[in-house]
């Protein structure tokens, strides 16, 4: 076997320039596609991470049917002791309780329906950095009996810090919820929908206002490692009975999943095209390597080399050409991608402003997964094997007497 | 001792409109230890005949016995195996694997025969020594002259311990001095080791060195002369 490997390896370098060019084409394809994939994956991770952090969490626990009906009737009991126990799970980074409901807000003659989020101020800020979004006034405290209003909403109804608004809605079991609440802060959101409809109360005060004592509508759970979603989900099942539902971010944000899938598919098509080009490059080299050695093959078979062994040598040659490229590409891209992962490319100008306005950082993020490398390896290996079929078939049909005549 | 026997062997190529009887109803016997030349004008069927004897081609009709077995019925894989163990080949050109050194080339055929590494190495050196290339064993074919390359091919043929050596125009690409010396080598090996050589050639000087001359014309044996001292061939 060593001799066959040696033979294949040396054959490869009979035409150094050609081998170099084919290996280089694989090399550039690998680098290009790795960077492309890294950028795509980085972008997805960033989107998911932002969405998870800004709102949904990796996993949410609700009362059964809450996600569909969005009513306080599907709220759940807020068990602080349970939360303390859950936090012992190494995978869980933070657990955010919320009581979300809808209410009418009135100031002067203007009324609007708004989303009222009862939050645990400190925990919420740790994750969503809500405090940083305050543009006027101050943030909530645990016992605050004031309200934070989104900046767009404040303009719509014309309130300012120090004014009081009327909240009028329905509490648990249909009990009327009504109060005059002072506006203590204005928060500005990048996402227009949120900016026109969000309000915040302290969790304790909102429970009181909506007669939902000790109740919440969701627990958002952030994990240390997004890959542990499934296992954490199943371990959570031991703590919450059938009157709860446990959903992960993908179930909570199907639109996000879908837009990622579409983008990913287009990326894969691009890669496909790139690899078709590469495949032809490799194939062309193999065809030439075969064509110019017909006599040599004829002699080897004549002196008694089995066709299978000769085919093995040509297959090794194909794999070598491809893998020199893959190995070089993979090796060189490791430091590049690791660097880009740590130092995402900053965006400037109008694009940056637009992205910033949506609440994201103006960067092109990159991801680094060992898995990306395997995908490349398998692709190139597949191309190599398919290309190798050409000389294999050629040798299978080769008659030594005709080959020798050339 | 009978080594090769052809009975009513024909090879007909009928891909063309007029079928070509490249070898036409040939009966032939070659004994162990012969030093035989197949001669004849271009297109007379020398290569075809050698290919049939060497199991590189199958006859359209007739039987070919080598070492007592009928190889005309062998399947492809059996033929390859038969060639590996029974026949040494020397071709006109491109004999050697260009990326292997002289020694590696000679060792390679023994590797195909599953001979142990030590044995391969020892025999390769011995045979390269026997063909006068002891100091060129680590040279690549491109670093050897045409004559030296043919000598390596002879060493490779012998290293596989064949029953006989077939050489289709082994001197065609050589100058007359190299051709003479290759013939000297082959004759010496024939004499010392009783190795059978069957070679085809156009070359008058080479023909004169043969101990038996089989002359072909249009696929038929025209003359078959066995005499070491008699060279009256006028083709
Ligand atoms: N594969 C083939 N298909 C058709 N005809 C063939 C084939 N091979 C050989 N021939 C024909 O068979 C005849 C004998 O050819 P062969 O090569 O055996 O002659 P040769 O004596 O070796 O000639 P040369 O001295 O030129 O090498 C020629 O007429 C040739 O054209
Ligand atoms: Mg010929």
């Amino acid at each position: 076997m060593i001799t066959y490997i040696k033979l294949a390896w040396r054959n490869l370098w009979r035409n150094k320039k050609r081998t170099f060019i084919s290996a280089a084409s694989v090399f550039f394809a690998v680098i290009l596609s790795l960077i492309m994939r890294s950028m795509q994956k980085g972008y997805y991770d960033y989107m998911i991470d932002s969405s998870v952090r800004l709102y949904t969490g990796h996993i949410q626990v609700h009362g059964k049917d809450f996600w569909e009906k969005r009513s306080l009737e599907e709220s759940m009991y807020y068990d602080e002791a349970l939360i303390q126990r859950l936090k012992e799970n190494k995978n869980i980074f933070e657990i955010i309780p919320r009581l979300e409901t809808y209410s009418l807000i009135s100031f002067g003659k203007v009324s609007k329906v708004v989303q009222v989020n009862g939050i645990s101020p400190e925990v919420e800020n740790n994750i969503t950095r809500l405090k940083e979004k305050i543009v006027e006034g101050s943030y909530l405290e645990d016992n605050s009996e004031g309200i934070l209003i989104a900046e767009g909403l404040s303009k719509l109804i014309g309130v300012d810090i120090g004014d009081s608004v009327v909240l009028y809605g329905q509490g648990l079991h249909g009990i009327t919820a009504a109060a005059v609440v002072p506006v203590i802060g204005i928060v500005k959101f990048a996402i227009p929908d949120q900016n026109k409809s969000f309000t915040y109360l302290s969790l304790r005060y909102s429970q009181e206002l909506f007669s939902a004592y000790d109740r919440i509508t969701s627990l958002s759970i952030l994990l240390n490692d997004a890959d542990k979603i499934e296992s954490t989900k199943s371990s959570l099942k031991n703590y919450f009975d059938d009157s709860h539902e446990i959903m992960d971010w993908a179930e909570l944000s199907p639109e996000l999943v879908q837009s990622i899938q579409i983008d990913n598919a287009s990326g894969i098509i691009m890669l496909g095209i790139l690899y078709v080009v590469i495949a032809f490059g490799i194939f062309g080299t193999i065809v030439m390597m075969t064509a110019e050695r017909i006599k040599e093959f004829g002699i080897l078979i004549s002196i008694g080399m089995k066709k299978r062994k000769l085919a093995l040598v040509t297959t090794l040659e194909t794999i070598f050409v491809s893998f020199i490229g893959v190995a070089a590409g993979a090796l060189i891209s490791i430091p590049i991608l690791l660097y880009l992962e740590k130092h995402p490319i900053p965006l400037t100008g109008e694009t940056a402003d637009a992205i910033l306005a949506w609440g994201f950082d103006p960067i092109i993020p990159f991801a680094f997964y060992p898995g990306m490398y395997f995908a490349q390896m398998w692709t190139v290996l597949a191309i190599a094997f398919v290309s190798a079929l050409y000389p294999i078939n050629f040798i299978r049909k080769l008659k030594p007497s005709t080959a020798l005549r050339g | 001792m009978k080594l090769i026997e052809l009975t009513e062997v024909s090879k007909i190529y009928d891909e063309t409109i007029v079928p070509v009887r490249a070898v036409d109803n040939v009966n032939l016997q070659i004994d162990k230890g012969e030093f035989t030349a197949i001669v004849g004008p271009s297109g007379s069927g020398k290569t075809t005949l050698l290919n049939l004897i060497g199991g590189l081609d199958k006859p359209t009709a007739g039987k070919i016995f080598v070492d007592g077995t009928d190889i005309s019925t062998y399947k492809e894989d059996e033929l390859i195996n038969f060639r590996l163990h029974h026949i040494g080949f020397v071709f006109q050109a491109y004999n050697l694997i260009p990326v292997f050194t002289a020694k590696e080339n000679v060792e390679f055929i023994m590797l195909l025969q599953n001979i142990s590494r030590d044995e391969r190495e020892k025999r390769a050196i011995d045979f390269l020594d026997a063909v006068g290339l002891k100091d060129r064993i680590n040279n690549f074919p491109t670093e050897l002259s045409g004559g030296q390359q043919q000598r390596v091919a002879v060493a490779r043929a012998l290293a596989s311990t064949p029953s006989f050596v077939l050489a289709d125009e082994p001197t065609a690409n050589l100058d007359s001095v190299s051709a003479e010396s290759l013939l000297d080598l082959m004759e010496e090996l024939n004499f010392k080791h009783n190795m059978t050589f069957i070679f085809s050639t156009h070359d008058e000087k080479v023909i004169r060195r043969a101990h038996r001359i089989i002359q072909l014309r249009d696929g038929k044996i025209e003359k078959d002369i066995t005499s070491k001292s008699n060279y009256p061939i006028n083709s």
Side-chain angles (χ1 to χ4, degrees):
Chain A
M1 187 66 193
I2 296 163
T3 308
Y4 298 125
I5 292 172
K6 189 158 74 181
L7 180 56
W9 181 255
R10 290 190 192 167
N11 277 334
L12 214 56
W13 300 104
R14 280 160 77 165
N15 191 328
K16 291 194 187 66
K17 214 180 279 172
R18 186 173 60 207
T19 301
F20 181 78
I21 290 170
S22 342
S25 72
V26 176
F27 168 82
F28 285 116
V30 165
I31 293 238
L32 207 69
S33 58
L34 278 172
I35 289 177
M36 209 170 100
R37 290 308 277 169
S38 164
M39 206 165 100
Q40 277 189 310
K41 293 265 191 199
Y43 173 67
Y44 304 152
D45 285 356
Y46 182 72
M47 288 291 288
I48 292 165
D49 192 63
S50 304
S51 142
V52 155
R53 267 175 204 287
L54 287 176
Y55 216 70
T56 57
H58 290 106
I59 300 174
Q60 273 191 25
V61 181
H62 310 124
K64 192 167 165 48
D65 295 337
F66 170 78
W67 194 245
E68 208 179 316
K69 296 186 180 162
R70 304 292 175 119
S71 120
L72 288 178
E73 302 311 312
E74 282 80 39
S75 62
M76 57 193 260
Y77 177 62
Y78 181 39
D79 185 345
E80 287 201 59
L82 174 62
I83 289 185
Q84 289 316 316
R85 262 192 291 149
L86 289 178
K87 277 189 168 172
E88 283 163 19
N89 184 327
K90 290 189 299 297
N91 293 331
I92 293 179
F93 174 66
E94 186 61 282
I95 300 179
I96 310 150
R98 293 192 185 109
L99 181 74
E100 294 172 11
T101 186
Y102 297 90
S103 167
L104 208 61
I105 192 168
S106 304
F107 182 67
K109 291 201 183 90
V110 196
S111 299
K112 293 222 45 118
V113 175
V114 295
Q115 180 169 337
V116 183
N117 302 309
I119 57 168
S120 176
E122 204 178 322
V123 178
E124 187 77 23
N125 182 52
N126 283 343
I127 302 306
T128 62
R129 305 261 154 245
L130 187 58
K131 207 167 177 173
E132 290 167 14
K133 296 190 175 81
I134 300 258
V135 288
E136 240 185 289
S138 58
Y139 189 57
L140 293 172
E141 316 223 318
D142 276 346
N143 291 316
S144 292
E145 299 202 342
I147 189 167
L148 297 183
I149 290 190
E151 180 253 4
L153 178 62
S154 76
K155 288 206 176 110
L156 279 176
I157 59 174
V159 293
D160 226 325
I161 306 290
D163 296 337
S164 286
V165 292
V166 175
L167 285 179
Y168 185 84
Q170 211 175 43
L172 189 62
H173 304 320
I175 298 168
T176 301
V180 176
V181 192
V183 176
I184 60 168
I186 310 259
V187 282
K188 183 167 177 168
F189 293 101
I191 299 170
D193 274 355
Q194 295 183 351
N195 206 35
K196 275 187 225 153
S197 67
F198 268 29
T199 66
Y200 289 91
L201 299 175
S202 70
L203 180 62
R204 198 200 49 72
Y205 183 52
S206 71
Q207 286 170 334
E208 194 180 304
L209 180 59
F210 293 99
S211 314
Y213 300 98
D214 295 327
R215 300 192 78 79
I216 49 172
T217 53
S218 68
L219 279 175
S220 291
I221 298 169
L222 269 172
L223 304 184
N224 287 312
D225 177 359
D227 292 336
K228 299 272 164 60
I229 288 180
E230 279 311 313
S231 58
T232 312
K233 250 172 99 175
S234 53
S235 81
L236 284 173
K237 292 210 175 90
N238 302 327
Y239 297 92
F240 296 97
D241 64 17
D242 279 355
S243 67
H244 298 83
E245 60 192 7
I246 301 170
M247 298 168 81
D248 60 37
W249 69 267
E251 295 167 294
L252 297 164
S253 319
E255 337 73 51
L256 180 61
V257 174
Q258 205 176 27
S259 76
I260 287 177
Q261 277 169 347
I262 291 167
D263 191 85
N264 195 31
S266 71
I268 287 172
I269 290 169
M270 283 287 294
L271 282 188
I273 294 169
L274 186 64
Y275 272 108
V276 167
V277 175
I278 293 316
F280 277 107
I282 293 180
F283 191 70
T285 301
I286 297 306
V287 169
M288 281 191 279
M289 283 183 78
T290 308
E292 67 197 15
R293 289 193 294 170
I294 297 176
K295 269 211 170 137
E296 191 177 317
F297 288 169
I299 283 172
L300 288 172
I301 295 169
S302 297
I303 66 169
M305 187 171 190
K306 289 211 174 61
K307 289 184 166 185
R308 245 176 302 124
K309 287 185 175 164
L310 188 53
L312 169 73
V313 173
T314 58
T315 305
L316 286 173
E317 289 167 10
T318 314
I319 292 173
F320 287 160
V321 189
S322 322
F323 267 76
I324 294 170
V326 175
L331 273 177
I332 291 188
S333 68
I334 288 174
I336 297 177
L337 293 184
L338 283 175
Y339 177 84
L340 288 172
E341 192 199 19
K342 295 275 174 308
H343 309 270
I345 298 175
L347 292 170
T348 50
E350 276 180 35
T351 340
D353 294 341
I355 291 175
L356 213 51
W358 280 87
F360 298 122
D361 294 328
I363 52 166
I364 301 178
F366 289 84
F368 184 85
Y369 291 111
M372 299 192 301
Y373 285 85
F374 293 119
Q376 302 296 323
M377 300 268 198
W378 287 123
T379 314
V380 176
L381 193 66
I383 292 173
F385 272 118
V386 172
S387 308
L389 292 179
Y390 177 79
I392 289 174
N393 189 47
F394 187 91
I395 289 165
R396 190 178 59 79
K397 289 194 296 197
L398 193 74
K399 282 180 69 188
S401 56
T402 14
L404 287 170
R405 281 178 200 271
Chain B
M1 198 187 95
K2 197 158 61 181
L3 180 63
I4 297 161
E5 187 174 21
L6 281 71
T7 51
E8 289 165 13
V9 168
S10 292
K11 178 73 185 177
I12 302 165
Y13 293 109
D14 50 10
E15 291 126 53
T16 43
I17 308 157
V18 188
V20 178
R21 306 184 73 90
V23 167
D24 193 1
N25 204 18
V26 163
N27 290 292
L28 178 65
Q29 185 180 322
I30 292 172
D31 291 333
K32 182 104 196 92
E34 283 193 19
F35 196 67
T36 297
I38 314 265
V39 306
S42 185
S44 58
K46 303 185 291 293
T47 298
T48 308
L49 183 62
L50 284 178
N51 284 351
L52 290 172
I53 296 172
L56 294 171
D57 234 340
K58 288 191 172 196
T60 314
K63 286 189 182 329
I64 300 166
F65 290 91
V66 174
D67 280 340
T69 48
D70 181 4
I71 63 164
S72 51
T73 61
Y74 274 5
K75 291 191 195 64
E76 188 187 24
D77 261 3
E78 293 170 321
L79 274 179
I80 292 180
N81 206 40
F82 184 83
R83 294 198 295 266
L84 176 62
H85 293 282
H86 291 83
I87 310 175
F89 286 95
V90 178
F91 298 98
Q92 182 178 332
Y94 307 108
N95 262 295
L96 306 178
I97 299 171
V99 295
F100 275 176
T101 62
K103 179 163 152 262
E104 285 168 337
N105 262 288
V106 178
E107 282 181 84
F108 187 69
I109 196 154
M110 293 183 276
L111 172 82
L112 297 177
Q113 291 179 322
N114 291 321
I115 289 167
S116 77
R117 176 201 264 266
D118 291 344
E119 177 73 11
R120 292 201 300 262
E121 172 139 17
K122 184 183 159 300
R123 269 208 244 166
I125 294 169
D126 285 351
F127 280 104
L128 282 166
D129 188 17
V131 300
L133 290 174
K134 198 180 173 78
D135 54 342
R136 310 308 303 256
I137 56 171
N138 290 321
N139 286 80
F140 286 94
T142 48
E143 299 162 348
L144 299 172
S145 72
Q148 288 171 330
Q149 289 181 32
Q150 293 304 74
R151 283 162 180 271
V152 177
V154 171
R156 177 184 65 191
L158 295 176
S160 66
T161 59
S163 310
F164 59 97
V165 175
L166 282 182
D168 192 5
E169 311 212 26
T171 61
N173 285 8
L174 302 181
D175 59 74
S176 54
V177 177
S178 309
E180 283 293 340
S181 99
L182 186 69
L183 257 291
D184 289 342
L185 170 68
M186 283 163 49
E187 202 170 20
E188 180 195 327
L189 293 165
N190 171 252
F191 180 74
K192 273 200 203 154
H193 305 284
N194 198 33
M195 177 53 69
T196 313
F197 280 87
I198 305 162
F199 50 95
S200 73
T201 183
H202 274 118
D203 187 341
E204 199 60 38
K205 277 192 229 129
V206 175
I207 296 171
R208 277 192 218 118
R209 303 287 299 269
H211 305 170
R212 175 181 177 191
I213 299 161
I214 297 166
Q215 182 163 341
L216 296 181
R217 183 174 296 275
D218 298 332
K220 290 194 169 73
I221 296 178
E222 195 183 42
K223 283 182 191 161
D224 186 343
I225 301 154
T226 310
S227 165
K228 201 187 166 344
S229 50
N230 193 7
Y231 321 109
I233 302 295
N234 299 305
S235 47

